[in-house]
Amino acid sequence: MSSEFKVDVISHDFEESGLSSLNGEVTLAERVNEVYEVLNDNRKQGNASISNIVTNTERRAFSDRVSRGKQAAVDDSVNLQIDGDEKREHGPGKKSGPLLSGTAYCISSCSMILLNKVVLSGYNFNAGISLMFYQNLISSLVVVLLGLCRVVSVEKLNWKLISVWIPVNVIFIGMLVSGMYSLKYINIAMVTILKNMTNILTAIGELYIFRKHQNQKVWTAMFLMIISAVSGGITDLSFDAVGYAWQIMNCILTASYSLTLRRVMDEAKKSTRSGSLNEVSMVLLNNLLSLPFAIFLIILFGEWEYGCNQIANVLGCSHCQWISWACH
C-alpha cells in the first residue's frame, strides 16, 4: 500500500510539475525541491507501517529460531536415546558374546575329555562306540527339545539334505570313535599336544584343495607345534603305539571333516528351505545321523553283548540274568 501510494503521488506531482513547466512558471530547482518534499512526507507517513512490518518480521524470525532450537534439542535427545539404546544392545553384548561362547566351549570341551578319560581308563570301560552313541543320543534329544520350545532355530530335515550330509557324518563318526580309543590308551596331555597336528593337516589340505595360502607367521607357528608334538612323544614315559595310531588317525579324520564340511556346505544350504544352515542344525544333523551308524558298529564289534553284561553286573540281581541271556 505505501509503495503504491508513493508511486501515485510522485507521478501526480511530476504531472503537475510538467504542466507548470509548460506554462514556464516553475524552474528546474523548484521541481527538485518539490520532489524532495514529497519523498519526506511519504517517509514520515510510512514510518509507522515500516516499523510494524520490521517488528512483525523480527518476531517471526525470532519465533522460527526458537522453534528450530526446540526441534533440534528434541532431535538431539532422541538421537542420544537411540544411540544409548544401541550401545546398550550392541556394545557390551557384542563384546561379551564371543568371550562367553569361548569360555563355554573350553569348559564343555575339557569336561568332555576328562569325563571320557575317566570312564574309558578309570573304570576300564571297553565300549567306546556305545559311549559315543549315548552322548550323541543325549545331544540330539537336547537340540530337538530346544527346537520344540522355540529356544533355538532348527532347520527341517529332508532326504536331499541328508544325502548331501552323509559323507560328512561318516567322517564325523570316525573322528569321534578314534578320539575315544586314543583317550583310552594315552594320557590327556599327549592327546592335547597331538591334536595340534590337526591344524597343520587342515592348512595343507586348504593349500592343495582350495588354493588358500597362509602367511609366514602361520607356518612358523605350525612348525613349533610339530616340534612340541615330537618332543612330547619322545619324552612320554607311557608311550603306547596303539594309542598314538588312534590319535594320528583322529587328526587325519578331524582335518578331513573340516575340509569336507567346507566343500559340501554350499550344496547343503541349497538343499534347505531357507537357503541357510546354522550351527544348531549342523549339530542335530551330525548327532542324529550318527545313531544308525553307531548301532551298526556296536553290533559289528560286539559291544552290545559287553554292554548288556555291564548292565547286569551293575544291577547285581539274580533275576537280571535274563539281560545277559538276551544279549547272547
Side-chain angles (χ1 to χ4, degrees):
M1 292 294 292
S2 61
S3 60
E4 292 175 358
F5 174 76
K6 290 178 183 178
V7 173
D8 293 335
V9 172
I10 293 172
S11 60
H12 179 68
D13 291 338
F14 270 112
E15 289 175 356
E16 290 181 352
S17 62
L19 293 174
S20 300
S21 63
L22 290 175
N23 294 327
E25 296 178 358
V26 182
T27 63
L28 179 62
E30 292 176 349
R31 293 179 190 174
V32 174
N33 292 329
E34 291 176 358
V35 171
Y36 277 116
E37 291 177 359
V38 171
L39 291 176
N40 289 329
D41 293 338
N42 291 335
R43 186 183 62 184
K44 291 177 180 179
Q45 294 176 0
N47 281 337
S49 61
I50 291 172
S51 61
N52 291 333
I53 294 172
V54 172
T55 304
N56 294 331
T57 304
E58 290 178 351
R59 288 176 180 176
R60 285 196 298 270
F62 179 75
S63 62
D64 291 339
R65 287 196 297 269
V66 172
S67 62
R68 284 197 297 268
K70 290 181 179 180
Q71 185 65 32
V74 172
D75 293 339
D76 291 339
S77 63
V78 171
N79 292 331
L80 289 173
Q81 184 177 1
I82 292 174
D83 293 338
D85 294 338
E86 289 180 351
K87 289 180 180 179
R88 285 194 295 270
E89 291 177 0
H90 302 286
K94 189 175 181 180
K95 293 180 180 179
S96 62
L99 179 61
L100 293 176
S101 300
T103 304
Y105 173 78
C106 292
I107 294 174
S108 60
S109 179
C110 293
S111 301
M112 184 61 66
I113 292 174
L114 292 173
L115 178 62
N116 289 338
K117 181 65 177 177
V118 170
V119 173
L120 295 171
S121 297
Y123 291 94
N124 198 23
F125 188 73
N126 295 321
I129 302 175
S130 300
L131 181 60
M132 180 200 71
F133 173 81
Y134 171 75
Q135 293 173 354
N136 291 357
L137 178 62
I138 296 299
S139 300
S140 301
L141 293 176
V142 169
V143 173
V144 171
L145 182 61
L146 293 176
L148 293 176
C149 296
R150 307 286 184 180
V151 177
V152 295
S153 176
V154 180
E155 190 69 32
K156 292 184 179 180
L157 306 182
N158 55 71
W159 287 111
K160 186 178 180 180
L161 178 60
I162 292 173
S163 62
V164 172
W165 202 261
I166 282 179
V168 179
N169 191 253
V170 171
I171 301 174
F172 174 76
I173 295 169
M175 179 181 68
L176 293 182
V177 172
S178 59
M180 289 287 185
Y181 282 106
S182 66
L183 274 175
K184 181 176 176 60
Y185 294 103
I186 59 178
N187 56 62
I188 296 177
M190 285 310 305
V191 169
T192 305
I193 294 174
L194 293 175
K195 276 184 177 294
N196 293 327
M197 299 294 293
T198 303
N199 300 325
I200 302 172
L201 296 176
T202 304
I204 295 173
E206 288 182 344
L207 178 63
Y208 286 98
I209 298 175
F210 302 105
R211 304 300 179 186
K212 182 180 179 181
H213 297 273
Q214 305 292 342
N215 56 36
Q216 192 66 29
K217 294 180 180 179
V218 174
W219 289 112
T220 303
M222 292 182 180
F223 179 73
L224 295 176
M225 291 179 185
I226 295 175
I227 294 177
S228 66
V230 173
S231 302
I234 293 174
T235 58
D236 186 13
L237 300 177
S238 60
F239 180 83
D240 192 301
V242 176
Y244 274 79
W246 279 112
Q247 185 56 47
I248 292 173
M249 187 182 299
N250 178 260
C251 292
I252 296 173
L253 290 171
T254 303
S256 302
Y257 173 77
S258 299
L259 297 172
T260 307
L261 181 64
R262 181 177 176 182
R263 195 179 188 88
V264 305
M265 197 62 188
D266 293 336
E267 188 66 25
K269 289 180 179 179
K270 295 178 182 178
S271 303
T272 61
R273 295 181 179 179
S274 63
S276 62
L277 191 65
N278 56 24
E279 290 80 2
V280 180
S281 299
M282 288 190 287
V283 170
L284 180 62
L285 268 172
N286 279 327
N287 288 278
L288 191 61
L289 294 180
S290 67
L291 299 180
F293 292 102
I295 293 174
F296 173 76
L297 293 175
I298 288 172
I299 297 173
L300 181 64
F301 289 98
E303 288 190 5
W304 176 258
E305 181 180 352
Y306 175 82
C308 292
N309 291 331
Q310 290 296 319
I311 293 174
N313 292 332
V314 169
L315 294 178
C317 52
S318 59
H319 66 275
C320 293
Q321 293 180 355
W322 65 271
I323 299 177
S324 299
W325 176 82
C327 293
H328 289 81

